Amino acid sequence: MIINMTTIAVRRKHYIDQTLESLSRSDGRDIPVNLVLGSSDTSHVEKYRKTLNIVSWDQEAEAQAKEGRLRHNCNINAIRALKYGDDEYCLCCEDDIVFDPDWLRQLML
């Protein structure tokens, strides 16, 4: 299993630290995480570069993006997250959720 988490730097407030902290306190703490970036700005995820896989905003995504259309561009990033990787099981989520302590066990039921 893998977690593909979408994230973007343009938000006024970032929740990624709290989200990753809740994941580390959960029964899914050992699942690998890909941070799928929704822009070329990596400033809000640099501290995770050595511990998580950062999936850069690429030329294909940039070609599909529309200036000033945040919702459209977030949808492009969600599609990228759904397509990324080849694991049998993949959880796609945004970077502003809180993982319950036993979310993985509940999911597997």
Side-chain angles (χ1 to χ4, degrees):
M1 176 177 244
I2 197 141
I3 297 173
N4 288 344
M5 185 178 299
T6 62
T7 184
I8 191 163
V10 298
R11 285 186 171 160
R12 289 185 195 118
K13 182 175 181 181
H14 292 281
Y15 300 95
I16 193 167
D17 297 332
Q18 294 96 331
T19 297
L20 292 172
E21 178 62 31
S22 71
L23 177 61
S24 74
R25 290 189 313 263
S26 78
D27 59 352
R29 67 181 123 324
D30 296 323
I31 298 173
V33 175
N34 295 311
L35 296 178
V36 183
L37 300 184
S39 72
S40 58
D41 185 348
T42 63
S43 60
H44 70 298
V45 296
E46 282 303 319
K47 63 182 160 188
Y48 300 112
R49 188 165 293 281
K50 292 183 181 178
T51 57
L52 303 175
N53 183 42
I54 297 176
V55 181
S56 298
W57 184 252
D58 56 27
Q59 290 180 344
E60 182 180 344
E62 187 63 34
Q64 296 173 13
K66 295 182 180 178
E67 183 74 30
R69 302 273 312 272
L70 183 60
R71 185 172 294 193
H72 173 83
N73 297 345
C74 286
N75 286 338
I76 290 170
N77 208 34
I79 292 167
R80 291 176 67 228
L82 289 168
K83 290 180 175 180
Y84 190 81
D86 58 0
D87 289 74
E88 186 173 338
Y89 296 107
C90 176
L91 172 74
C92 290
C93 63
E94 293 186 8
D95 63 352
D96 60 353
I97 66 167
V98 174
F99 287 92
D100 282 342
D102 63 344
W103 71 270
L104 182 59
R105 183 185 63 76
Q106 292 178 43
L107 180 66
M108 291 304 168
L109 288 175

